[in-house]
Amino acid sequence: YLDEAIRDFTRAIEIDPAHTRAFVGRGYSLMRQGHTDAAIADYSKGIELNPRAFLGYFNRAFARKFKGDFDGAIADLSKALEINATDADAWYERGLLRSAKGFLDEAMADFNRVIELNPRSANAYANRGMIMLRRWQDADAQRSWIRQFSWIAV
């Protein structure tokens, strides 16, 4: 079905080269087929045509994440959240990326926002717990290091 979807989206673009949804839809179909660079190009064109295309930013973030461009993905999710600040999935995904990059305070804030929007998000609670665990381990490691080297005169 993806090949047919791509053909239909392409036909829509031929008829109307400014059809944002066709570019974003074709980008999604291409991404599902593993054509990440082509998907990013289509998402980018959709965003160029409509800078308020939430799904263009949201989906491009996933493509960028897949390619290892976490900074680009975070930027896209931040832009998507400027457009729709009530999308819990965008907050969640940005929280994951921020956590992976070590931006724990920012990630915690994102997961807190997910919980405000969806108090039943088990994943947001679990990821918040992982951040707290990482903070505890960092603090515990620091205490251990201080104990280990406390005999050195300063």
Side-chain angles (χ1 to χ4, degrees):
Y1 293 110
L2 289 174
D3 287 334
E4 290 93 354
I6 290 169
R7 276 195 296 273
D8 283 348
F9 288 129
T10 300
R11 182 67 181 129
I13 292 165
E14 290 167 355
I15 294 167
D16 179 3
H19 202 292
T20 300
R21 286 189 331 202
F23 277 104
V24 173
R26 187 173 71 178
Y28 182 79
S29 300
L30 289 164
M31 186 66 192
R32 297 288 302 206
Q33 287 188 329
H35 304 293
T36 310
D37 290 332
I40 289 172
D42 272 1
Y43 294 141
S44 296
K45 182 63 177 178
I47 291 165
E48 176 187 321
L49 293 168
N50 177 6
R52 299 213 31 91
F54 172 85
L55 285 177
Y57 290 105
F58 186 79
N59 290 337
R60 189 172 70 179
F62 278 92
R64 286 179 162 176
K65 175 183 170 183
F66 183 78
K67 288 186 64 83
D69 178 10
F70 286 14
D71 292 331
I74 289 169
D76 278 347
L77 289 166
S78 295
K79 187 64 179 171
L81 288 165
E82 287 176 22
I83 297 165
N84 181 3
T86 62
D87 190 275
D89 291 333
W91 288 103
Y92 179 77
E93 291 300 327
R94 191 176 73 172
L96 289 177
L97 289 163
R98 285 176 159 179
S99 180
K101 294 222 18 121
F103 303 133
L104 300 185
D105 291 338
E106 294 87 348
M108 182 68 84
D110 286 348
F111 294 132
N112 286 341
R113 183 68 174 128
V114 172
I115 291 166
E116 287 173 21
L117 294 168
N118 179 8
R120 298 193 49 79
S121 175
N123 286 335
Y125 282 106
N127 279 286
R128 221 170 55 167
M130 292 303 295
I131 289 171
M132 288 182 233
L133 180 60
R134 283 173 67 184
R135 286 179 174 163
W136 173 82
Q137 286 174 330
D138 289 346
D140 192 50
Q142 210 172 28
R143 284 189 297 274
S144 174
W145 186 86
I146 290 169
R147 279 193 306 274
Q148 183 178 2
F149 295 102
S150 64
W151 58 270
I152 298 174
V154 180

